[in-house]
Amino acid sequence: MDVRSALRQATARLRAGGVPSHTLAAELLLMHVLGRDRAWLYTHPEEFVEASAAERYFDLVARRIAGVPTQYLTGKQEFWGLEFEVCPGVLIPRPETEHVMEAALERLGPAKSRRTLRGADVGTGSGCLAVALACELPEAGIVATDISPVALEVARRNAARHGVAARIEFVQCNLLDAFLGQPLATRLPRAESRGHSPLAFDLIVSNPPYVAHSEAATLPREVGEHEPAQALFGGEGGNDVYPPLVVQAEKLLAPGGVLVLELSYNAFAHVRALLAAADTWTRVAVTHDLAGIPRVLAAERV
Ligand SMILES: C[S@@+](CC[C@H](N)C(=O)[O-])C[C@H]1O[C@@H](n2cnc3c(N)ncnc32)[C@H](O)[C@@H]1O
């Protein structure tokens, strides 16, 4: 069988199996099996695909039709132009989470190159936000927390893959519990603490679990049956994590420090009210995603 026939057959099976973006899935799986990029596939349509490779390919196609996300089959997903390892047990980074990066970098502005900059990523998952931030902020020290040991292992490997492991401290804890009442300067590797409060972060970002349990049945099969529940669900109404996270951010951010949160489709009013009630936040703003949903909230600690 040649490359063109393999792609055609796989695309037809994926389409018949109701897989969304079936052509893309067929390409990504064949790229993975052959260790080639898309340009190679389309410039070598008559190249012979060995029987063993074809067998592996159509096995992956069958698993994709059975609902396994393509990224769990290939073991990777791109985020912020960087390739991240993913596996079951770790949320697949989503494109809309790149708005968290954009909002954080925009708010930091000239502070981006400061040697004392300290950030936190709460619920790091694959480590996509912590690693992308460390790449963008070459002088910063970052802490990345998660309750999932599997996620933290994958995040550590992603940090090493992108050469930023020495500037990210990975901590297994609830939200930022491990840092409450602790002098952060003693905990952050390589983060210079000179002239800076030892008790404060300059930036806290989070894409917390925010799907409502009551909406579990509406999730696509790929998500509901394959991605980790603790990465998805934020309680019955979905908004359980925001109140404690905002309280901790209020305690742990330095004056002028920036909080950036990804929001569920209906969380903006709820989180804005939380910030308004605290009376310690300013410059609250929202970024809409490509679907027009208020997706990312940014605010500054007074
Ligand atoms: C929506 S995922 C986000 C993962 C990653 N930051 C991203 O954007 O792809 C939420 C992550 O938060 C973690 N998590 C859930 N509850 C947590 C808690 N109470 N404290 C810390 N991490 C938590 C989950 O294990 C999961 O990795």
Side-chain angles (χ1 to χ4, degrees):
M1 173 181 292
D2 62 19
V3 164
R4 182 192 286 120
S5 313
L7 269 177
R8 277 193 186 149
Q9 276 194 36
T11 304
R13 288 188 201 181
L14 289 159
R15 188 191 307 116
V19 172
S21 307
H22 42 265
T23 305
L24 179 63
E27 290 169 352
L28 289 171
L29 294 176
L30 191 55
M31 286 156 60
H32 173 65
V33 167
L34 299 181
R36 302 288 190 175
D37 61 18
R38 183 177 283 106
W40 187 91
L41 294 187
Y42 287 102
T43 50
H44 296 78
E46 277 141 35
E47 192 85 14
F48 183 68
V49 179
E50 301 283 344
S52 60
E55 191 180 330
R56 267 187 294 136
Y57 180 47
F58 286 104
D59 175 55
L60 292 179
V61 167
R63 290 169 64 197
R64 180 67 194 89
I65 291 167
V68 181
T70 303
Q71 295 89 337
Y72 287 161
L73 296 170
T74 61
K76 57 194 180 213
Q77 170 65 27
E78 191 182 298
F79 179 82
W80 202 249
L82 304 168
E83 189 175 282
F84 284 85
E85 173 190 337
V86 293
C87 64
V90 171
L91 191 95
I92 299 163
R94 304 295 204 270
E96 57 267 30
T97 303
E98 296 197 356
H99 293 308
V100 174
M101 289 292 301
E102 291 160 4
L105 296 176
E106 188 191 318
R107 286 294 178 114
L108 287 174
K112 279 189 292 206
S113 56
R114 224 175 56 204
R115 289 184 60 78
T116 56
L117 200 75
R118 290 186 294 206
D121 172 23
V122 183
T124 197
S126 63
C128 58
L129 284 170
V131 169
L133 282 170
C135 290
E136 289 287 343
L137 307 169
E139 304 285 352
I142 312 264
V143 298
T145 73
D146 208 292
I147 48 171
S148 160
V150 175
L152 288 167
E153 270 314 300
V154 172
R156 277 192 190 96
R157 285 202 290 276
N158 280 321
R161 168 191 285 226
H162 294 294
V164 292
R167 288 189 292 115
I168 305 180
E169 183 184 8
F170 292 99
V171 181
Q172 188 181 357
C173 69
N174 173 57
L175 305 179
L176 288 164
D177 280 1
F179 299 92
L180 289 168
Q182 302 240 16
L184 299 183
T186 64
R187 301 188 58 107
L188 283 169
R190 313 280 187 278
E192 302 289 334
S193 61
R194 288 189 299 272
H196 198 81
S197 162
L199 278 170
F201 288 108
D202 303 291
L203 171 70
I204 296 177
V205 300
S206 183
N207 172 20
Y210 57 59
V211 178
H213 268 300
S214 55
E215 294 178 358
T218 67
L219 290 173
R221 184 172 58 152
E222 286 79 0
V223 179
E225 291 177 13
H226 294 276
E227 295 200 85
Q230 63 190 1
L232 297 175
F233 297 110
E236 189 53 28
N239 289 334
D240 284 7
V241 180
Y242 295 113
L245 188 49
V246 166
V247 168
Q248 290 197 352
E250 197 182 328
K251 290 183 181 149
L252 289 169
L253 276 174
V258 175
L259 174 65
V260 184
L261 298 176
E262 184 164 326
L263 305 172
S264 67
Y265 72 93
N266 60 0
F268 177 50
H270 171 73
V271 180
R272 186 176 48 184
L274 285 175
L275 299 182
D279 204 24
T280 44
W281 299 97
T282 183
R283 297 190 63 209
V284 178
V286 69
T287 306
H288 291 76
D289 66 17
L290 296 178
I293 294 167
R295 184 58 70 189
V296 169
L297 177 143
E300 283 175 32
R301 180 77 169 83
V302 171

